[in-house]
Every structure is written in C-alpha cells, then in structure tokens.
Amino acid sequence: MRDDQIGEILVQPDQLQRRVRELGQEISRDYEGRNPLLVGVLKGAIFFLADLMREISAPCEVDFMAISSYGSSTASSGVVRILKDLDASIEGRDVLIVEDIVDSGLTLAYLMRNLGARNPASLEVCALLTKPERRKVDLAPRYLGFEIPDRFAIGYGLDHSERYRNLPYVAALEQ
Ligand code: IMP
Ligand code: MG
C-alpha cells in the first residue's frame, strides 16, 4: 500500500509471525489442561487474536469486549465505557485478555479491575505491543510481543481514525 502516512516499519510480517507462534506455544504450555478463555478487545486485537489462537494447541475459547476510552484520539484518559460486554460469565474461568497495544496502561488497568471483580480463577494479559516510555500505571502484561518506541503505531489491527488495520506489518504513523 502506498501512502504518505505510512512511516518507518517497526515490526515486519515475518517477525510478527515468529513471535505470535512463540507466544502461542508458551500459552499452550502454561494453560495445559485448563481451557482458557481468550478475551479480545475490539477492534484492534482481533488480528493478533486470530493468529495467536491458531498457534495455541490446548483447548481454548474466545469472547469479545468493546470499550471506548474518553479522551483525545491519541491519548487515553483511563475513563472507560463498555460498549459491548462479554457474552458469558467468567466466574471460575482462566481468563487471558488479548490486547493490541499497551500505551499508558490505563485502559488495561480498568479492564483488569472490571474483569477481576467477576471472580475469574485467573486473569492475565497478552499484549502484542507495548510502549514502556508512556506507561502511567504499574502494569506488566504476562505475555508480550514487542516493545516499540514512543511513536503512534498503525497496522496489524492498529488504526489511525479506523484506517490501516489491514497492513500486514506494524509501522509508525508519519505525522
Ligand atoms: P492506553 O489506555 O493508553 O494504554 O491505550 C490503549 C489503547 O489505545 C489501545 O488499546 C489502542 O486501541 C490505543 N492506542 C494506544 N497507542 C496506540 C498506537 O500507537 N496506535 C494505535 N492505537 C493506539
Ligand atoms: Mg483501540
């Protein structure tokens, strides 16, 4: 795709594929015999989730949440509204939240509190990307794909005003 707004490539398709496979293997080992529930956060995480789930050899299930964060388009406020909740109860389940990117960490901190209050057997996070420089809350995902610099990332699910989710790599937005 030729586009002036697509800047430097941060993660190449083959790096994504390799890392997602490794994460899938790690999760398969850790959750052996436990039937985890993968909770995808719409919309950005679905690309990563779909690839990750096919690398998990253990039985697992999937559900989705849609949330919107109040704030500007490039910075989250941590005040989160649930637009679509999970279809089923997670009480007693081994829940693994699958996120596209952890930026300030505020959205994830809210989700951890919200889902944690529903009494899951366990609650962990698998995030494809993290921007550690931007973190505002102390939060370390159990599973992590890549650390990226403090740039606005697009592609492989990540959008800028709903565009660029279909790029097969992660790039920096040229602003
Ligand atoms: P946080 O609450 O600041 O951690 O923001 C998390 C959410 O903001 C992510 O789930 C993304 O949807 C969005 N986000 C944060 N950084 C980026 C980025 O670089 N590109 C695209 N979306 C981003
Ligand atoms: Mg998002």
Side-chain angles (χ1 to χ4, degrees), residues 76 99-101 103-107 131 151-153 158-159:
S76 102
E99 249 290 36
D100 50 3
I101 186 164
D103 186 26
S104 68
L106 291 167
T107 305
K131 290 191 264 190
R151 311 273 297 275
F152 194 84
L158 294 153
D159 73 303

Side-chain angles (χ1 to χ4, degrees), residues 65-108:
M65 279 184 90
I67 56 182
S68 94
S69 144
Y70 294 104
S72 73
S73 62
T74 54
S76 102
S77 61
V79 183
V80 172
R81 190 159 54 105
I82 295 179
L83 302 176
K84 181 223 170 287
D85 207 339
L86 298 173
D87 289 340
S89 162
I90 56 168
E91 192 172 344
R93 298 294 310 265
D94 290 298
V95 174
L96 181 59
I97 300 174
V98 180
E99 249 290 36
D100 50 3
I101 186 164
V102 190
D103 186 26
S104 68
L106 291 167
T107 305
L108 209 46

Side-chain angles (χ1 to χ4, degrees), residues 3-19:
D3 188 319
D4 287 349
Q5 286 205 288
I6 304 174
E8 183 194 344
I9 295 188
L10 302 175
V11 192
Q12 295 282 1
D14 61 315
Q15 295 176 285
L16 285 168
Q17 199 187 7
R18 258 202 316 277
R19 188 71 189 116

